[in-house]
């Protein structure tokens, strides 16, 4: 499977192959500020499954709520954040699910930083909820 992710003006484009390793909804206040919404939704792909096929990106790096740095890549034309590299999970690239513009994209399997969730927001049935981040999985590879 191949999926195309693009910024709002469609000048910056990624190609993502295969299925995401995980899809997460994040309620942290940093994601609320970055998106201008109540949360962000990311499809995390193994690094080797993501390639830029068009456009130029700028970078913005900041600490995350978990204490690890994260580098965001955004379009120089429209300013849309298209992907990010979380230091906490260096083998994965987070891609903004909205950038796929696909209403059939799979739903998130987890919600993180739910301690910052707006109390009136109802989450879909079956989504695992974590007050902060889930326990980090140690990789053997």
């Amino acid at each position: 499977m191949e999926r195309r992710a693009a910024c709002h003006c469609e000048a910056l484009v990624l190609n993502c192959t295969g299925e995401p390793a995980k899809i997460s909804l994040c309620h942290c206040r940093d994601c609320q500020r970055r998106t201008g919404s109540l949360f962000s939704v990311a499809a995390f792909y193994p690094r080797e499954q993501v390639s830029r096929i068009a456009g130029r990106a700028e970078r913005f790096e900041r600490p995350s709520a978990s204490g690890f740095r994260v580098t965001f890549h955004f379009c120089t034309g429209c300013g849309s954040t298209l992907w990010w590299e979380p230091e906490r999970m260096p083998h994965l690239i987070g891609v903004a699910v909205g950038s796929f513009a696909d209403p059939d994209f799979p739903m998130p399997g987890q919600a993180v930083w739910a301690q910052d969730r707006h109390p009136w927001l109802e989450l879909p049935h079956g989504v695992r909820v974590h007050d902060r981040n889930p326990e980090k999985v140690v990789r053997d590879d």
Side-chain angles (χ1 to χ4, degrees):
M1 158 127 345
E2 287 193 359
R3 289 187 172 101
R4 179 183 171 272
C7 66
H8 183 74
C9 71
E10 298 190 47
L12 183 58
V13 182
L14 297 179
N15 188 56
C16 302
T17 60
E19 293 300 324
K22 66 179 175 175
I23 304 170
S24 295
L25 190 151
C26 183
H27 297 281
C28 82
R29 293 202 173 101
D30 290 327
C31 282
Q32 290 178 31
R33 285 186 193 98
R34 180 179 58 78
T35 64
S37 186
L38 304 182
F39 52 82
S40 72
V41 185
F44 288 94
Y45 283 89
R47 185 172 286 277
E48 64 275 3
Q49 290 177 215
V50 178
S51 58
R52 182 172 26 176
I53 57 175
R56 183 174 167 277
E58 286 290 329
R59 299 162 41 119
F60 174 72
E61 185 177 302
R62 67 163 171 79
S64 68
S66 63
F68 292 87
R69 299 204 66 75
V70 61
T71 302
F72 294 91
H73 300 267
F74 60 94
C75 176
T76 59
C78 67
S80 300
T81 300
L82 191 54
W83 80 92
W84 48 95
E85 298 174 89
E87 184 181 73
R88 182 176 183 269
M89 301 177 294
H91 59 290
L92 297 175
I93 299 282
V95 180
V97 168
S99 68
F100 293 102
D102 177 2
D104 293 324
F105 200 90
M107 73 177 243
Q110 68 178 8
V112 300
W113 289 91
Q115 69 184 25
D116 294 337
R117 180 174 59 91
H118 290 237
W120 51 265
L121 178 67
E122 295 287 328
L123 295 175
H125 178 73
V127 171
R128 292 180 315 281
V129 177
H130 305 277
D131 280 345
R132 298 179 71 152
N133 278 326
E135 289 295 318
K136 187 173 178 187
V137 177
V138 177
R139 294 175 47 121
D140 292 323
D141 49 28

